[in-house]
Amino acid sequence: MLNALGVITTVVVGLMVGVEFSVAFVINRILDALPDDSALRGRAHGGRMLGAVMPVWYITSLVLTAIWAIAGWGDPGTGLVITAAALLIVSVIMSILLLVPINNQGKTWTPDNRPDDWKQQMNRWDRFHYVRVAVIIAAFTLLPAALA
């Protein structure tokens, strides 16, 4: 049962990492290369769509990791799972304090109401997002190690 929980948790966290990695290094670069206001429109739509899904995914990943840590208390890999959970907590805090405020503004922007510094704000979001991706990748890498 504990192994199944570990595998499910690893898959859920791994898929989340894949989505966030793709946003950082594929989707946003594609959007930014589009002409005119396409990047603005694409980022606003992505902010609305992923802004609705990702909080649930982050919390689910954290809850599954916490359940695994509690259920496996005393097992050799528990320290790795606890560390992964701590990193996921850091990513949630980063999201709430740094990324969500920018995202909440950006998802409402249109070519008619965008601020003059919208590109700088998106670049700031990107920089925070790169750090968050590094944090969740670190958390993810600990989970399969805990299964071994």
Side-chain angles (χ1 to χ4, degrees):
M1 179 72 167
L2 191 58
N3 263 357
L5 177 61
V7 169
I8 291 167
T9 302
T10 301
V11 169
V12 169
V13 173
L15 290 171
M16 180 182 73
V17 168
V19 169
E20 293 292 34
F21 185 90
S22 176
V23 166
F25 298 104
V26 179
I27 303 298
N28 284 347
R29 289 181 184 206
I30 290 170
L31 292 174
D32 291 344
L34 294 174
D36 303 323
D37 292 318
S38 299
L40 173 76
R41 293 173 191 268
R43 281 180 175 259
H45 180 67
R48 288 187 299 273
M49 188 180 78
L50 291 173
V53 174
M54 295 315 289
V56 174
W57 211 336
Y58 272 82
I59 297 302
T60 300
S61 295
L62 178 56
V63 167
L64 285 170
T65 306
I67 292 169
W68 181 8
I70 292 165
W73 197 258
D75 285 353
T78 303
L80 296 173
V81 178
I82 291 169
T83 305
L87 289 168
L88 291 174
I89 290 169
V90 168
S91 75
V92 169
I93 292 169
M94 284 182 66
S95 297
I96 292 167
L97 295 179
L98 303 173
L99 290 125
V100 169
I102 298 169
N103 190 63
N104 283 344
Q105 292 175 15
K107 68 185 182 182
T108 65
W109 294 339
T110 67
D112 297 327
N113 72 0
R114 71 178 179 215
D116 292 337
D117 69 340
W118 76 272
K119 285 185 181 180
Q120 289 83 1
Q121 290 189 52
M122 289 295 97
N123 287 336
R124 185 170 180 244
W125 186 93
D126 287 343
R127 287 190 304 275
F128 290 142
H129 185 62
Y130 295 144
V131 174
R132 179 175 62 178
V133 169
V135 169
I136 63 175
I137 287 172
F140 172 64
T141 35
L142 295 171
L143 297 177
L147 286 170

